[in-house]
Amino acid sequence: MSDDSKQVVDFNEVRTERLDQKRRKTQRILFEQMMGIYSVSEGKDLRSIEILDVSEDGLSFQVPFNAKDPWPADEKEVVLRLYFSQETYLPIHVEIKNSRPSIQEGIRYVQYGCTVDKHVSSYKTFNQFVGFLKSYSENAHQDTGGVSVFYL
């Protein structure tokens, strides 16, 4: 037997990877369909952004690439607004740590990796929201139209 055929599969690692993929997919659905997420641009304008992933320490988001109006151009600290209704939002202060270009479905984006400021009063709420997202994504089921009952 060759060394390739003796490869051992770590089922815990595979399970963790699948849960991580499910978590990201569930989060994106929530961000896209249930929430409005905006950044405060230069203290005056709101710009719609797309959050890609969140954790207790940071988040990543993307914006469409616009050579004529790049944003955030020189900003390193940005305030994000997570709208849970039309009238209320949770402000999150982030520091941009990195960026990279991306193309999805033929559209150019810039993706940003950020750390979340843990010293602002809204961080505690953000942290609990991230915990909820993790728990929800682990326990959520897709509605396929059938009726079933699941008890533990």
Side-chain angles (χ1 to χ4, degrees), residues 4 7 9 12 19-20 23 32 38 55 59 61 63 89-90 94 111 120 127 140:
D4 291 339
Q7 188 175 23
V9 176
N12 287 327
L19 283 174
D20 194 44
R23 179 185 58 80
E32 291 172 4
Y38 298 88
S55 73
L59 58 85
F61 70 89
V63 295
Y89 65 89
L90 180 67
V94 300
Q111 294 182 353
V120 295
N127 190 34

Side-chain angles (χ1 to χ4, degrees), residues 14-97:
V14 171
R15 181 179 184 278
T16 300
E17 178 62 30
R18 286 191 180 155
L19 283 174
D20 194 44
Q21 288 173 357
K22 181 181 177 187
R23 179 185 58 80
R24 285 192 176 127
K25 182 179 178 181
T26 302
Q27 286 177 0
R28 286 188 185 180
I29 290 169
L30 285 171
F31 294 144
E32 291 172 4
Q33 296 181 8
M34 296 183 66
M35 296 177 64
I37 303 170
Y38 298 88
S39 63
V40 179
S41 171
E42 296 153 9
K44 58 183 179 185
D45 295 326
L46 292 179
R47 293 186 182 239
S48 179
I49 66 167
E50 181 182 352
I51 289 188
L52 303 173
D53 197 15
V54 295
S55 73
E56 292 86 356
D57 298 319
L59 58 85
S60 62
F61 70 89
Q62 70 181 11
V63 295
F65 174 77
N66 184 346
K68 295 178 184 174
D69 185 20
W71 179 89
D74 296 324
E75 297 179 57
K76 286 293 181 193
E77 294 181 9
V78 178
V79 177
L80 303 181
R81 292 183 176 185
L82 308 180
Y83 279 85
F84 291 87
S85 73
Q86 291 183 346
E87 292 104 20
T88 63
Y89 65 89
L90 180 67
I92 302 298
H93 296 248
V94 300
E95 182 179 348
I96 296 174
K97 295 295 188 180

